[in-house]
Amino acid sequence: MSVLQELEVLTPHAFDAGLVFSGVASGTMVQGFEQVSQYTPKADMNYVFHESSRDIIVWFLTQKEPLYIYGYQGCGKSSSIKQLASRLNYPVFEITGHGRLEFADLIGHLTMENGSMSFQYGPLALAMRYGGICLINEIDLTSPEIAAGLNGILDGSPLCIAENGGELIEPHPMFRFVATANTNGAGDHTGLFQGTQRQNAAFLDRFILCKMEYPEESIEKKLLGKRYPQLPQNILDKMVDFANEVRRLFMGNSSMINYTHSIEVTFSTRSLLRWAELTERFQPLSRQGIQPLSYALDRALGYRACNETRAMLHELVQRFFPVNDFATKDSTGQKDFKISFTKPFQASFEKLTNSNTKTGKFWKIDAQEAGITLYWGKSGTVGKSHFIPKSECKNKNPFAEGDDRVQRKIREGYTFVSETI
C-alpha cells in the first residue's frame, strides 16, 4: 500500500481524553484516528509532558483555529505537538521555515515519475486533503508575505493548486494547523534569534497563542530519571539545578552573588538531555582522571560560549558537584580516584591504626547489575561479607548505592587502595 493509499483509508475515531493523556477516564472525547500511518509520530513512552501541554490538549479538544506556540529554543514546542498527536494516531506533516521558503514548498510541485509528470503534494496539501496536522517550525524565519499568504487557508478557505490543473482541496474536518517559533511574531527584541522576522499582524491575529516555558524543575528531574536510569538520581537532580542556575544567569537574575552579569548561552531541555546522555557515554574517561560531567558539559553547551563564560560554567560545576561526589585521593594523596556509577566496579579501602602499620581495617565493595557485595575485617584476614540485592539498593541502582557507600567510608577515614572497573 502506498503512502497516499494509507492516508486515504484513515478513519476518524473518538478517544476518551482522560484515558489518552492521563490514564484516567474523564468522559470528555477528543478526535483522532483509528489507525496509525507513516506520518504518525512515534510515541516516546519516556516523554514527560509539562504544564504548557495543557493548552495544547485543550486546543485538540475544542478549537479548530490554528495554534501558534512560541518559546526559547529546545523547550519542547515541536515535541509536545508530536507526542500528543502520537497518542491520537494523528498524522503530522512537518516542514521547517526559512528565509527562502516559498508557497510551493507547502503545497507541492510537479515531478517526473515513471516517464511522466505528476504532482507531489506538500505538507499543507496533504494535511488539508487527508486530515492531519500541518506543522511549520520556525515560522518567524519565513518571509512575512509568504506567511500572510496562508491567511485564507487559516480562515477555512479551500486550497487551489494551479500547478495541478486547478485542483481545489476542501479542508478535511480533521485538518489542523500549528506554527512554532522562538518569538511571538513581533520580532526579536533580545538579539538571540538571528534571522527571525516581524510577522504580519493580520496573519498573527488568526492564531490561538501558547507560550511555552522550560519545564518545571520537578518535571525535568523526572524526565532525566526516566531517560537515564543508569545515572544516580541525586546527580541528575543536581544537573537540573545547575541548568536552572545557568538559565537565571542568561536572564541576568542569578541568585549567586559572584555572578552579576548575564551570559550569552543557556540550557534548553534539549541541551540538558544531551548533557546527561554524554555524561553517561563518557563515564570510561573517569579511569583516565577526566571528570565526565565537565567533559560532557563542553560538548553539550560550553563550546558555544566565549572563553570567559566557559570558564565560569566550569567553576559553577565545581560548586554544584563537589569533587567528593566523584573522587578522593589515593593512598599517596596524589591521584584522583574516580568512582564509576554506571558500570560494574570493585574498590578496596583501608583504615590504618597509624601511618607505620598495616594492622588497621579493610573494606571492599563489588558493585554489579544484580546488587553489591561488601567485604570487611582486619587487615591480613579473610573478613566477612554481605550481599545487598538490587531491589534493596538506592533507587534500585546498585551503582548509585555503591557510590554512596564509598563516599560514606571516605568520610569515616578510609583510604582508597585499588579499583577494578
Side-chain angles (χ1 to χ4, degrees), residues 218-253:
S218 60
I219 297 297
E220 285 191 320
K221 289 178 179 179
K222 182 179 179 181
L223 175 60
L224 261 65
K226 293 181 73 172
R227 289 281 186 91
Y228 306 104
Q230 291 298 319
L231 294 177
Q233 188 62 49
N234 67 311
I235 298 298
L236 296 174
D237 290 349
K238 287 184 179 181
M239 293 176 84
V240 174
D241 294 338
F242 179 91
N244 280 321
E245 182 58 34
V246 171
R247 291 164 185 167
R248 285 189 285 269
L249 283 163
F250 178 72
M251 299 301 294
N253 57 3

Side-chain angles (χ1 to χ4, degrees), residues 78-143:
S78 299
S79 60
S80 288
I81 284 291
K82 290 192 281 190
Q83 286 305 307
L84 288 169
S86 71
R87 271 63 172 177
L88 299 171
N89 298 332
Y90 234 109
V92 176
F93 306 95
E94 187 176 11
I95 191 170
T96 299
H98 54 81
R100 295 185 178 181
L101 184 74
E102 298 182 354
F103 205 70
D105 297 320
L106 298 175
I107 63 173
H109 57 273
L110 289 169
T111 184
M112 181 69 72
E113 186 176 355
N114 298 325
S116 59
M117 297 297 291
S118 63
F119 190 80
Q120 186 79 34
Y121 290 109
L124 176 62
L126 287 169
M128 291 187 67
R129 183 174 183 179
Y130 298 105
I133 297 172
C134 177
L135 173 60
I136 303 183
N137 293 309
E138 317 294 350
I139 199 166
D140 53 354
L141 290 175
T142 62
S143 169

Side-chain angles (χ1 to χ4, degrees), residues 347-363:
S348 299
F349 294 80
E350 280 192 315
K351 187 175 183 181
L352 306 181
T353 55
N354 59 64
S355 59
N356 299 317
T357 180
K358 290 284 185 177
T359 59
K361 301 176 181 179
F362 75 85
W363 182 85

Side-chain angles (χ1 to χ4, degrees), residues 338-350:
K338 308 290 182 179
I339 290 293
S340 170
F341 46 70
T342 63
K343 302 293 182 184
F345 67 87
Q346 292 179 333
S348 299
F349 294 80
E350 280 192 315

